[in-house]
Amino acid sequence: VVVVGGGASAMHVLSEIAGIAAATTWVTRRPPVFRDDDFGEDARRAAVALVEERVRAGLPPGSVVGITGLGYTPVVSEALAKGALDRLPMFQRITADGVAWADGRRQRADTIIWATGFRSALDHLAPLRLREPGGGIKVDGTQVVREPALQLVGYGPSASTIGANRAGREAARNVRAYLTARPARPAA
């Protein structure tokens, strides 16, 4: 089984299937950064603030785990103990029986699991021309700055287990405020 992804989702998958699957291969775009410090309340707030700063500037939010790193949680420790965290760079292509890298290396695989987490997929919004020159969509919390009727829950600071806890409530409040602030439309 090939597992693609460098965050918590991939860690959980690897931990669960290591020892059950005949073999696992872990691939990521970038080498993971593990942290062994205390990722307490202040550190979590600082991580969310960094993501929020990027989207307020109209930049893509970036990877949550790229900002937070991977802590040595029980799941990560279990995957390490099972030998499942021997990371390889991202493969170049999928083959009929697995994956292959540019250097000619190949890995047979029955299954590929894409555990790529909270990556935003917003290309369907292109006709609204929301992207800033930096490539991101500028948001204030969950509300899109260029289109206040649009809420992006799961984008920017709400694209993490930390931010998602508050994002739904914030989006609902924003929608209520937006709807009550506009003049009523005449009945058709």
Side-chain angles (χ1 to χ4, degrees):
V1 177
V2 173
V3 178
V4 180
S9 300
M11 297 298 101
H12 280 268
V13 170
L14 285 161
S15 181
E16 289 291 326
I17 65 172
I20 296 171
T24 59
T25 301
W26 179 36
V27 297
T28 66
R29 288 182 296 147
R30 289 180 295 281
V33 176
F34 290 93
R35 60 184 303 153
D36 58 6
D37 61 333
D38 177 31
F39 192 56
E41 182 79 17
D42 289 341
R44 291 191 303 268
R45 288 183 192 280
V48 170
L50 285 172
V51 175
E52 188 169 15
E53 184 179 310
R54 287 185 60 82
V55 296
R56 283 186 186 272
L59 298 171
S63 161
V64 172
V65 76
I67 291 172
T68 64
L70 289 167
Y72 287 102
T73 64
V75 169
V76 169
S77 297
E78 185 178 318
L80 276 167
K82 292 177 178 179
L85 298 187
D86 185 17
R87 178 255 177 202
L88 294 173
M90 190 63 191
F91 49 83
Q92 182 185 41
R93 67 186 189 285
I94 297 172
T95 65
D97 63 350
V99 295
W101 285 263
D103 65 5
R105 181 177 24 177
R106 298 173 73 84
Q107 176 63 52
R108 290 182 49 85
D110 296 311
T111 302
I112 301 172
I113 298 175
W114 296 89
T116 53
F118 296 106
R119 186 167 300 121
S120 58
L122 301 173
D123 291 345
H124 62 285
L125 299 177
L128 299 176
R129 302 181 190 275
L130 302 172
R131 296 228 183 251
E132 298 292 327
I137 297 174
K138 194 180 288 189
V139 297
D140 181 7
T142 61
Q143 191 166 40
V144 175
V145 173
R146 288 189 182 191
E147 181 52 67
L150 182 60
Q151 303 294 313
L152 296 181
V153 177
Y155 181 82
S158 70
S160 71
T161 53
I162 300 164
N165 292 334
R166 297 177 291 273
R169 186 177 304 127
E170 179 182 357
R173 287 182 185 143
N174 289 344
V175 168
R176 177 181 288 147
Y178 176 78
L179 293 174
T180 58
R182 332 179 285 155
R185 288 187 172 158

